[in-house]
Amino acid sequence: MFGFNRYDLRLLINLFKMNVRDRYLGSSLGSFWAISNPLFMLALYTYIFGFVFKVKLPGAETTLAYVIWLISGYGPWIATTEAIMGAANSVVGASGLVKNMAFKTELLPIAGALVGAINLAVSFVFLLVLLAWAGTPITVHVIFLPVVMVLQFFWIIAVGMWLSAIAVFVRDILQILPTLLTAIMFMTPIFYPFESMPAIIQKGSLANPFYQIAEAYRSILIGNEFPSWPGLLYVATISGVILHFGLAAFRRAKGSFDSAI
Amino acid sequence: MSLYVELHEVSKVFPVGSSATGELVAAMAGDSGQGPGAGGKVAVDRLTLSITEGERLGIVGRNGAGKSTLLHMIAGISEPTAGSIRITGTVTSIMTLGVGLRDDLSGRENIYVDGEIQGKSRTDVDRVIDQVIEFAELGQFIDYPVRTYSTGMKARLAFAMITHVDPEILIIDEALSVGDASFSLKATARILEICARGKIVILVSHGMQSVREICNRCIYMKDGQIVMDGSPQDVTTAYIEEVRSEDEAALLQRFRAHVGNRSRRPGSQIRRVCLLSGSDEVGSLRVEARARLRIRVFGSHDSASGSAVCRVRIVRLDDLLVFQQDFRLADFSLRNGEIRIEIDFDPLVLGAAIYRLDAIFLECAADDSEPCCEHSTVFEVFTLTPPVGGKPMLYYPVTAVVQT
């Protein structure tokens, strides 16, 4: 698929393991941070929006309901941020390998993006605890959760493929990216409901894959319904197209990596 | 099927001075229409080369000749700007030692990491890890973090990691000198062994000795092109010869203020002065200390009789006169008016430095005599065994006995 074979899969797994290890290498608490960092961010936003701003959703009376709603959108977003940054940095960060070894460098952004899966898992465990506490039933719709997760990473890898190759030549995008991601976060209905956006922006948001992904998670976990199929199909299509051209561009550019990196 | 590596009209141009975005666009658009010379540094220039199974190819050349760029392209790390490369078989490349050593992991863990980078499974690594550890000679340090290692220990570990490769086509770029003397010997022996296993070996080295030992074919690269292709013995000899003459040209260029040949009077001139070090019969501007040195002066003088002399002076470049002697031209004249003098220093006692050699024809040996013609050149005295603790001005051949 996309010009990869079984041997590449093993290398991908190795690169992923290496990324995870390097991420927390040297810090004495090690992989504890993998769990505690997202938890801390979730707790922080819960406190601010739930207890300071006292946001209430229409139809949801309790703060806990809002918190669950918030985390079902913000949890995956933390994973998205981590994954996009990981992918964008992947080629530049592995300059030693890229300069000295011949291998499918297009595996790097994929392995870099997959590091975000750890954050996603942590968020979901946290969320499950809250759901159990609130007594919200978990319905059969949850079997579509993996589909949404796969789509989320498909989309991130598609974007990351471009970013990682561009970053080799124009390092500046690594500087602007965190700011850009924060901007996207606030423009995507993650902290506020879709309905509170101005009508004209609502229309535009439908084309925002980040919104479609957040909405799919919420449908499954809170709405107890099937995610919007057209929305997911849209994400799958646009990711497929972007990844297709991204891979082609990446493969053309990789021959020049060693002189630019 | 037999293995081969074939390069056809391969060029690699590095963009110079173009903007980052321009580079990006060119790279992503796969813009190979940009031929050599279209702005940018040409590292490899329309090079055609074919290597067949059983060949162990050495590549020699000065820095910047394009050797490493060529290797990178054969290894598949970078792609040629133009031309095509066809390779059968799997390529293993050893470019830099210690890529991906993780400072915070122990030596043992790093061996696994290295395996991961190579795409090996844990069981693959388990099979060779004991040999690697034994080869690295790190003792108990193998379980300490790499950040506690000295540079030499790191290099030994890194070298040990590469020795369990089982290559079809092996590419080695200058990875041969590692660690202390005894480890270095062991490493060289291991490289020889690996090369013997490799069906095709391509080696870039500045060590002519290793090229001669390992290779059975050698190319000499210059400005991105192959200027010589042949047996390692012939090519390395030619390469060393050319490097020496280039060095001499550079020496003359650097001290050009001291170099000159001037005739002040028609009929009197010095055509050539040459220095022959040891058993050299060609002449060189780099002469070995403590070896025999012969200086030959060729010229002509129309009144080579009476008191006319050839004054030979050796002046250190800080204007210290170290040698001066006059030779009566009448004693060295041939019948046709030619003058040929050979001065024999056996051995040359001068210490390593750069000197100027003046040869002057004078009408008489008096100090105020006007020179008829003069010739100056610059030469360097070098020593293969550099002195320790100071730089003697003279290597005077003395004898010492037990005084009874």
Side-chain angles (χ1 to χ4, degrees):
Chain A
M1 198 169 73
F2 286 111
F4 295 109
N5 56 32
R6 266 188 58 220
Y7 173 81
D8 297 329
L9 185 68
R10 190 166 71 183
L11 185 58
L12 178 66
I13 294 168
N14 283 346
L15 288 171
F16 172 73
K17 278 196 284 193
M18 213 156 65
N19 273 337
V20 173
R21 195 174 29 209
D22 288 353
R23 184 85 171 69
Y24 304 104
L25 205 64
S27 47
S28 40
L29 293 178
S31 49
F32 166 76
W33 293 112
I35 299 165
S36 60
N37 267 338
L39 279 187
F40 181 76
M41 290 306 286
L42 290 174
L44 187 68
Y45 277 86
T46 303
Y47 168 72
I48 300 284
F49 287 95
F51 297 91
V52 179
F53 292 161
K54 293 198 174 57
V55 180
K56 290 268 158 53
L57 288 177
E61 296 77 32
T62 60
T63 304
L64 185 60
Y66 173 74
V67 168
I68 290 174
W69 180 86
L70 176 71
I71 289 173
S72 60
Y74 182 61
W77 177 262
I78 297 180
T80 300
T81 317
E82 186 84 13
I84 290 185
M85 286 309 294
N89 267 311
S90 59
V91 178
V92 176
S95 59
L97 293 187
V98 174
K99 275 180 121 89
N100 290 292
M101 262 183 53
F103 67 110
K104 290 204 169 138
T105 31
E106 52 266 42
L107 293 172
L108 287 171
I110 301 176
L114 290 180
V115 173
I118 294 173
N119 282 309
L120 195 61
V122 172
S123 303
F124 276 132
V125 170
F126 187 53
L127 193 61
L128 284 178
V129 172
L130 289 179
L131 283 172
W133 186 25
T136 318
I138 292 181
T139 56
V140 65
H141 305 100
V142 86
I143 58 166
F144 287 102
L145 211 52
V147 176
V148 183
M149 289 180 182
V150 168
L151 270 182
Q152 181 188 358
F153 279 94
F154 189 41
W155 161 244
I156 291 168
I157 289 167
V159 174
M161 194 61 70
W162 281 99
L163 291 177
S164 62
I166 295 171
V168 172
F169 301 94
V170 190
R171 294 296 152 90
D172 312 52
I173 71 156
L174 296 176
Q175 303 296 331
I176 187 76
L177 205 52
T179 317
L180 203 63
L181 284 172
T182 311
I184 293 174
M185 177 178 78
F186 282 106
M187 285 190 294
T188 308
I190 285 174
F191 294 117
Y192 49 86
F194 183 67
E195 290 73 30
S196 55
M197 295 174 102
I200 188 156
I201 298 183
Q202 281 188 9
K203 285 216 180 70
S205 279
L206 289 175
N208 178 354
F210 294 111
Y211 163 69
Q212 292 293 351
I213 288 163
E215 199 50 38
Y217 279 123
R218 282 178 175 154
S219 303
I220 292 169
L221 291 166
I222 300 170
N224 291 332
E225 56 193 18
F226 290 114
S228 133
W229 298 121
L232 291 187
L233 193 65
Y234 163 74
V235 175
T237 313
I238 195 167
S239 305
V241 171
I242 291 179
L243 183 61
H244 175 78
F245 288 108
L247 264 177
F250 192 104
R251 285 179 176 145
R252 274 195 299 269
K254 67 190 267 188
S256 314
F257 279 175
D258 78 317
S259 56
I261 210 162
Chain B
M1 196 177 75
S2 71
L3 302 169
Y4 65 85
V5 176
E6 259 180 24
L7 290 85
H8 182 71
E9 295 270 311
V10 167
S11 295
K12 177 80 181 178
V13 182
F14 289 112
V16 175
S18 70
S19 71
T21 8
E23 238 176 274
L24 169 71
V25 171
M28 288 210 165
D31 187 3
S32 58
Q34 173 196 14
K41 163 135 183 31
V42 182
V44 173
D45 190 8
R46 293 190 299 278
L47 184 141
T48 299
L49 173 69
S50 95
I51 309 165
T52 53
E53 187 162 341
E55 282 192 311
R56 296 192 296 278
L57 178 77
I59 304 178
V60 297
R62 311 207 102 184
N63 290 332
K67 305 184 298 288
S68 292
T69 310
L70 181 65
L71 281 200
H72 274 67
M73 288 192 291
I74 297 174
I77 294 168
S78 69
E79 282 160 22
T81 319
S84 64
I85 298 179
R86 292 197 304 148
I87 294 174
T88 54
T90 52
V91 179
T92 308
S93 54
I94 302 168
M95 297 292 176
T96 314
L97 286 176
V99 180
L101 274 189
R102 300 294 193 271
D103 269 355
D104 287 300
L105 295 179
S106 73
R108 191 185 296 275
E109 287 165 322
N110 262 300
I111 297 172
Y112 284 105
V113 171
D114 187 62
E116 281 174 12
I117 295 172
Q118 315 267 357
K120 294 195 175 94
S121 69
R122 215 176 160 84
T123 30
D124 289 343
V125 180
D126 279 332
R127 219 172 305 131
V128 292
I129 191 162
D130 289 331
Q131 298 167 37
V132 174
I133 291 173
E134 194 199 310
F135 194 86
E137 295 176 0
L138 290 168
Q140 89 241 31
F141 281 99
I142 194 71
D143 289 310
Y144 289 16
V146 168
R147 77 181 119 82
T148 62
Y149 288 18
S150 70
T151 316
M153 288 163 77
K154 271 187 204 167
R156 257 150 56 197
L157 176 65
F159 186 85
M161 285 177 184
I162 62 161
T163 59
H164 56 265
V165 294
D166 200 8
E168 279 188 339
I169 298 174
L170 178 67
I171 296 179
I172 304 179
D173 189 357
E174 289 282 60
L176 299 180
S177 55
V178 170
D180 54 24
S182 75
F183 191 83
S184 180
L185 279 177
K186 198 169 133 185
T188 312
R190 182 54 74 94
I191 285 278
L192 278 167
E193 207 183 301
I194 299 173
C195 289
R197 286 208 302 268
K199 297 189 178 87
I200 291 180
V201 178
I202 304 171
L203 167 80
V204 163
S205 180
H206 288 293
M208 295 304 130
Q209 197 53 40
S210 40
V211 171
R212 283 176 196 169
E213 274 174 30
I214 292 170
C215 303
N216 55 16
R217 179 182 168 193
C218 184
I219 59 173
Y220 171 16
M221 277 186 76
K222 195 176 176 186
D223 301 329
Q225 286 172 322
I226 298 174
V227 292
M228 197 175 169
D229 185 345
S231 80
Q233 193 63 41
D234 295 347
V235 175
T236 50
T237 311
Y239 169 65
I240 292 170
E241 194 54 46
E242 191 157 332
V243 165
R244 200 182 65 175
S245 63
E246 279 173 21
D247 283 345
E248 281 174 6
L251 188 69
L252 289 180
Q253 180 61 27
R254 208 168 116 214
F255 298 105
R256 60 188 174 280
H258 297 278
V259 177
N261 186 6
R262 193 154 43 149
S263 176
R264 290 167 189 276
R265 214 194 67 190
S268 172
Q269 65 156 333
I270 296 171
R271 277 199 316 283
R272 200 153 69 89
V273 172
C274 66
L275 296 99
L276 307 174
S277 180
S279 55
D280 185 12
E281 289 299 332
V282 188
S284 163
L285 295 179
R286 297 188 73 231
V287 302
E288 193 179 344
R290 279 178 291 196
R292 180 182 180 205
L293 171 70
R294 286 162 296 156
I295 297 175
R296 287 183 183 161
V297 179
F298 301 100
S300 54
H301 193 74
D302 50 7
S303 55
S305 56
S307 58
V309 295
C310 172
R311 175 168 293 169
V312 173
R313 305 200 304 165
I314 295 175
V315 182
R316 210 167 67 183
L317 278 193
D318 54 0
D319 265 339
L320 177 77
L321 180 64
V322 286
F323 173 87
Q324 171 168 331
Q325 200 161 327
D326 293 343
F327 302 90
R328 269 169 43 88
L329 287 183
D331 300 343
F332 302 95
S333 292
L334 303 183
R335 210 160 283 147
N336 56 5
E338 286 272 303
I339 291 166
R340 294 182 168 209
I341 311 175
E342 178 172 296
I343 307 159
D344 203 341
F345 298 79
D346 193 12
L348 178 69
V349 299
L350 294 181
I354 293 172
Y355 300 88
R356 190 180 77 224
L357 175 70
D358 297 334
I360 308 157
F361 286 177
L362 299 163
E363 275 309 336
C364 64
D367 268 348
D368 56 350
S369 171
E370 276 290 309
C372 304
C373 64
E374 49 198 341
H375 182 288
S376 300
T377 190
V378 169
F379 69 98
E380 183 182 4
V381 176
F382 69 95
T383 168
L384 291 174
T385 48
V388 177
K391 205 170 134 189
M393 203 171 82
L394 294 179
Y395 292 108
Y396 203 85
V398 292
T399 51
V401 291
V402 181
Q403 201 193 348
T404 48

